[in-house]
Amino acid sequence: MTTLASGTDTLTRDALTVLQPGFPGTTAPDWLLRRLGEGLASVGLFGRNIASPGQLSALTARLRAERDDVLVAIDEEGGDVTRLEVRTGSSFPGNHALGAVDDVSLTLEVAAELGRRLAACGVNLNWAPSADVNSNAANPVIGVRSFGADPALVARHTAAYVTGLQSAGVAACTKHFPGHGDTAVDSHHALPRIDADPAVLAERELTPFRAAIAAGTRAVMSAHILVPALDPAHPATLSPRVLTALLRDELGYDGLIVTDGMEMQAVAATYGIERGSVLAIAAGADAICVGGGLADDETVCRLRDALVTAVRTGDLAEERLADAARRVRALARWTATGATAGTGSPAGAAVRADVGLIAARRALRLTGDEVFTPLTEPPYVAALTPVANIAVGDETPWGMAAELIRLLPGTETGSFAGPDAGHAALVAAGERRIVAVVRDEHRHPWMTTALDTLLAARPDTVVVEMGVPQAPPRGALHIATHGAARVCGRAAAEVVALVP
């Protein structure tokens, strides 16, 4: 076990222990290694930190050389949200595709294989799965990250995902408590509000979290959302009523509570990250996630000092901070030692390395002409591209153009947006057959207009919906992939080009 640097007192150590910071670059900076020696117990990884599996393994090994039980966390949901494959797109479909298949054994197997790959690279805490019930079709930030809109379906797949992931020795962090599905605002930009009554919340939002707790999830992530029926004054991350009275006392959860990113505007714009972090720990959170946007030693020191000062001024009970640090260390011990007791293939079955592609193929839903003839000549792929939400990021490629180019060399592609997107795509396509790729058409009226234009001029257009399939299917063939990951694009391309 790592020995603390001399001069680090218990209070300062505990304040460092509850932080989960990020950092820039693909190697660990000196300041981060120094803080690990002083008591920092967790590090958060993002796409900017990962170049290859080998590089990631070297990075995590360097962190463990400084602290052997460090928690190395990542936001690897698979599907649209990937950090392991940020430059290529994920080899696994996301939750919505798994929910569309509705085979819990498949979900468990996908999560186990994803966990195996994380563990092989030295990652031991995954900020996943999303247990949000996507009951609001206008939700801009959850969407295909959810298993679906039915609480029972979301619950059984959340439990399977937790079981599969943790079978590989990687702690699951079920999110976003108490449920981010019924929002139309992205908490990265503002504070969402859910105006459901307690009975609806209990039946809808809380059902998957109960299932996750029963499955033994090692961590739960809070949401920066206002739920007046639970607490009219504070967002969930800062609410003792939500984190302590509800999650701890009523639901009986005793594991680690992690905040969503404290630099997100839903908290930072009103409270600031220092005050917000103090309030979160006081409310019952155990770990402060920061580093998606703020990733430097100055931020770590500011948060450490804010927590220490709050204890010394009586704004934060020292026992609460010590309890939070204890829970962080307990999870670190599980990942370092006790996790091995639960590792191995789920239910003794062999996990298939290609299970992601198998799942993506099973998730496809096809609608259209019964006599659809697969393409044999290179088409034109018109990607009707919305602005990516920040949770997914715009650095990860999406769609199916790359896969069609691989199957039908000579395929051309272009990206279009706005009211004239349909006309622009027609001009760019020329005489080529058009494959129109959309993402959440139901949330973007300009996308519907573009498809109207394309189909009026070219009724043989193939439409591929890679978001939540809410709009009526149309086109010579309509393919719903239930996600925009690379593997979803491959599965759709195989249908379009008739690959057996």
Side-chain angles (χ1 to χ4, degrees):
M1 191 65 64
T2 301
T3 301
L4 289 176
S6 60
T8 304
D9 61 60
T10 299
L11 179 57
T12 302
R13 178 197 66 191
D14 286 348
L16 279 171
T17 296
V18 303
L19 303 181
Q20 289 190 348
F23 62 93
T26 55
T27 58
D30 290 342
W31 67 261
L32 182 66
L33 300 175
R34 184 168 64 254
R35 300 305 172 201
L36 288 171
E38 295 173 355
L40 186 69
S42 307
V43 174
L45 300 181
F46 298 85
R48 62 178 180 247
N49 303 122
I50 300 170
S52 69
Q55 168 270 326
L56 179 55
S57 295
L59 170 59
T60 58
R62 181 67 188 91
L63 296 173
R64 290 200 168 83
E66 199 64 42
R67 179 171 184 140
D68 54 9
D69 66 342
V70 63
L71 287 170
V72 181
I74 199 169
D75 193 3
E76 183 62 43
E77 299 176 15
D80 291 28
V81 181
T82 180
R83 310 305 179 216
L84 282 183
E85 300 177 277
V86 66
R87 291 168 180 80
T88 61
S90 182
S91 299
F92 300 91
N95 286 0
H96 204 61
L98 295 172
V101 178
D102 195 15
D103 179 347
V104 292
S105 64
L106 179 67
T107 295
L108 190 150
E109 189 178 354
V110 166
E113 175 59 15
L114 180 58
R116 185 193 66 78
R117 296 190 192 185
L118 289 172
C121 293
V123 176
N124 55 13
L125 172 59
N126 191 8
W127 293 320
S130 168
D132 306 297
V133 178
N134 198 57
S135 56
N136 188 339
N139 196 316
V141 69
I142 301 300
V144 295
R145 301 169 65 197
S146 167
F147 289 110
D150 175 60
L153 179 145
V154 175
R156 60 180 173 265
H157 287 278
T158 296
Y161 196 106
V162 167
T163 300
L165 188 65
Q166 293 186 168
S167 75
V170 176
C173 183
T174 306
K175 60 188 183 186
H176 306 79
F177 188 83
H180 209 310
D182 188 19
T183 64
V185 173
D186 184 345
S187 51
H188 289 86
H189 304 300
L191 178 63
R193 176 184 175 115
I194 295 180
D195 285 311
D197 64 43
V200 171
L201 292 170
E203 182 179 349
R204 188 179 65 188
E205 270 72 20
L206 298 184
T207 294
F209 288 98
R210 290 192 189 93
I213 292 168
T217 186
R218 292 284 166 173
V220 169
M221 178 176 283
S222 67
H224 302 333
I225 57 174
L226 186 67
V227 188
L230 301 177
D231 187 333
H234 304 96
T237 295
L238 313 183
S239 172
R241 296 187 191 179
V242 173
L243 299 188
T244 298
L246 177 57
L247 182 54
R248 290 277 188 228
D249 299 340
E250 183 177 333
L251 299 187
Y253 175 66
D254 193 43
L256 190 75
I257 299 177
V258 183
T259 72
D260 208 342
M262 293 302 292
E263 68 271 33
M264 294 164 62
Q265 291 302 295
V267 168
T270 301
Y271 299 90
I273 63 168
E274 295 96 333
R275 182 62 178 160
S277 295
V278 170
L279 291 173
I281 296 294
D286 305 305
I288 301 296
C289 176
V290 65
L294 298 172
D296 52 43
D297 193 30
E298 178 185 357
T299 299
V300 171
C301 292
R302 284 165 53 200
L303 296 180
R304 175 202 63 192
D305 294 348
L307 292 167
V308 169
T309 298
V311 170
R312 290 175 175 165
T313 59
D315 290 338
L316 174 64
E318 186 170 3
E319 295 79 7
R320 171 77 275 272
L321 179 61
D323 179 61
R326 177 189 62 79
R327 291 180 192 277
V328 173
R329 296 184 192 113
L331 182 58
R333 285 194 300 273
W334 180 84
T335 60
T337 56
T340 55
T343 59
S345 300
V351 177
R352 298 165 288 185
D354 63 345
V355 67
L357 179 58
I358 292 169
R361 287 168 174 160
R362 290 183 62 186
L364 296 181
R365 297 294 181 266
L366 310 181
T367 308
D369 296 344
E370 295 182 4
V371 293
F372 171 77
T373 302
L375 280 62
T376 56
E377 298 295 325
Y380 187 87
V381 179
L384 305 184
T385 307
V387 175
N389 74 61
I390 193 170
V392 175
D394 57 9
E395 71 270 46
T396 303
W398 71 281
M400 61 179 292
E403 296 299 327
L404 265 180
I405 290 170
R406 183 176 62 85
L407 297 177
L408 293 173
T411 295
E412 294 184 3
T413 185
S415 179
F416 306 90
D420 296 324
H423 292 291
L426 284 171
V427 171
E431 297 302 314
R432 289 173 178 260
R433 183 82 175 268
I434 297 174
V435 177
V437 182
V438 299
R439 198 174 186 178
D440 290 339
E441 180 201 341
H442 67 283
R443 293 199 302 110
H444 304 285
W446 68 264
M447 209 176 281
T448 298
T449 300
L451 282 182
D452 289 342
T453 299
L454 286 174
L455 291 168
R458 303 284 290 275
D460 63 349
T461 293
V462 174
V463 178
V464 181
E465 168 62 85
M466 304 196 79
V468 177
Q470 289 283 325
R474 51 193 176 144
L477 175 67
H478 185 279
I479 304 176
T481 63
H482 301 91
R486 174 176 56 85
V487 71
C488 298
R490 177 175 173 182
E494 290 174 346
V495 171
V496 171
L498 192 60
V499 174

